[in-house]
Amino acid sequence: MSTTTDVAASLAAAQPAPPARSRGYWAGVGRRLSRDPVTLIFGAILLLMALAILFAPLLAPHDPYQTSMIRRLRPVWFQDGRYPLGTDELGRDLLTRLLYGGRLSWFLGITPVLIAFVIGGSLGVLAGFAGGWVNMAIMRTTDVFYAFPSVLLAVAISGALGPGISNAMLSLTLVFIPQIIRVAESTTTSVRNLDYVESARASGAGPATIVRAHVLPNVLGPIFVYATSLISVSMILASGLSFLGLGTRPPEPEWGLMLNTLRTAIYTQPVIAMLPGLCIFLTSLCFNMVSDGLRSAMDVRG
């Protein structure tokens, strides 16, 4: 009996241990992000800014459109405490204008990139997976847009369409679609000939099934990370269009438009004149740092 027990124990000990359950790719991405303090800090700043502009009606001390020539261009930390960031050239509270202006600036910075991500990503995946004349038609059309600098193209389209938020969004979307198409096409081309895609094709899976089950899960990550890096560019371009009078129109609060209207106060109240530009710079920096952190976290080789 003891001999049988010893043999059974030795056989149980000789059996290989069951493999540890994989935590998954996205779990690894989250783990690497949690160990990146720089990305977490700038992400927290973005979250605080998003909450501030989202709850602007609750945080803003004044009406963003209320003017008063008596209190125009009051300095930062005015002595009565009612205007902590001073007032603009029309006597409107600058803190209130910055909070409400963040809504339009973020909207003009994120929405064109999201639309370009959907349209450009779809066209890029189609071009990379289909190849042949489909790839040729899409990519040669994309190359036409690359003949012009992004800033010049955005200004030209906005100038042709006229000022306005919708026209500015359309011009920015047209600028970013070709860039996302190129990234999506190159990523899809590198994936479509891999072994697991060939195996799925040999097993009889259709093109739609292969794209949905095998291609998209592996290409959406890099495309999304690249799109997040375009948000800061979109915000700067949108502010530039408003500064030139091709985007948001008065009296709507928007950081680029506020830079334009406050430029005459640069010699009398330089701190007030630079506050909208500081908001644009800080937001763009945060988006760039978060995008770099996402790229590093999603790099499996890292």
Side-chain angles (χ1 to χ4, degrees):
M1 176 67 76
S2 62
T3 304
T4 305
T5 304
D6 294 341
V7 172
S10 62
L11 290 175
Q15 291 179 355
R21 186 175 181 179
S22 174
R23 298 182 62 182
Y25 171 72
W26 292 109
V29 172
R31 184 175 64 255
R32 287 187 287 271
L33 281 176
S34 64
R35 297 174 180 175
D36 187 354
V38 176
T39 302
L40 293 178
I41 291 174
F42 283 100
I45 296 175
L46 278 181
L47 179 60
L48 291 176
M49 295 180 68
L51 292 175
I53 63 176
L54 181 63
F55 295 102
L58 300 177
L59 299 176
H62 299 281
D63 185 349
Y65 303 104
Q66 184 179 2
T67 62
S68 175
M69 299 307 294
I70 299 177
R71 59 171 185 264
R72 63 186 301 270
L73 292 179
R74 289 185 175 179
V76 176
W77 298 114
F78 187 66
Q79 55 266 24
D80 61 7
R82 296 181 57 199
Y83 307 100
L85 294 184
T87 58
D88 64 4
E89 76 286 351
L90 294 179
R92 297 169 294 194
D93 179 55
L94 197 59
L95 175 59
T96 302
R97 300 278 294 178
L98 288 175
L99 289 174
Y100 279 92
R103 290 183 163 190
L104 270 178
S105 295
W106 279 53
F107 178 77
L108 290 175
I110 296 177
T111 305
V113 176
L114 287 178
I115 299 175
F117 172 75
V118 175
I119 299 176
S122 301
L123 292 176
V125 170
L126 175 63
F129 186 79
W133 65 269
V134 176
N135 183 288
M136 181 71 67
I138 295 177
M139 298 312 297
R140 296 296 76 80
T141 304
T142 301
D143 291 340
V144 173
F145 289 89
Y146 270 94
F148 306 94
S150 299
V151 177
L152 180 60
L153 185 61
V155 172
I157 297 175
S158 295
L161 297 176
I165 297 177
S166 57
N167 292 337
M169 284 181 52
L170 178 59
S171 64
L172 293 175
T173 302
L174 293 176
V175 167
F176 294 131
I177 285 178
Q179 302 181 29
I180 296 181
I181 287 178
R182 175 164 291 186
V183 173
E185 188 271 339
S186 62
T187 306
T188 306
T189 301
S190 64
V191 168
R192 71 175 182 180
N193 294 323
L194 294 180
D195 293 339
Y196 62 88
V197 177
E198 294 294 341
S199 300
R201 188 178 290 113
S203 66
T209 302
I210 294 175
V211 171
R212 183 183 69 253
H214 301 286
V215 175
L216 286 181
N218 292 281
V219 302
L220 283 180
I223 301 172
F224 175 76
V225 171
Y226 179 75
T228 57
S229 67
L230 293 178
I231 294 178
S232 60
V233 181
S234 178
M235 191 167 295
I236 293 174
L237 288 179
S239 299
L241 292 177
S242 296
F243 184 86
L244 295 174
L246 298 175
T248 309
R249 290 176 287 185
E252 295 296 329
E254 196 271 336
W255 291 342
L257 182 61
M258 292 170 66
L259 272 178
N260 183 16
T261 57
L262 286 171
R263 72 184 189 276
T264 56
I266 189 68
Y267 298 108
T268 57
Q269 295 292 345
V271 176
I272 291 178
M274 66 179 283
L275 286 178
L278 182 62
C279 292
I280 297 172
F281 169 76
L282 181 60
T283 307
S284 301
L285 176 64
C286 290
F287 273 114
N288 276 333
M289 298 303 295
V290 171
S291 176
D292 290 342
L294 284 175
R295 183 181 295 108
S296 300
M298 297 180 70
D299 187 0
V300 180
R301 294 170 299 178

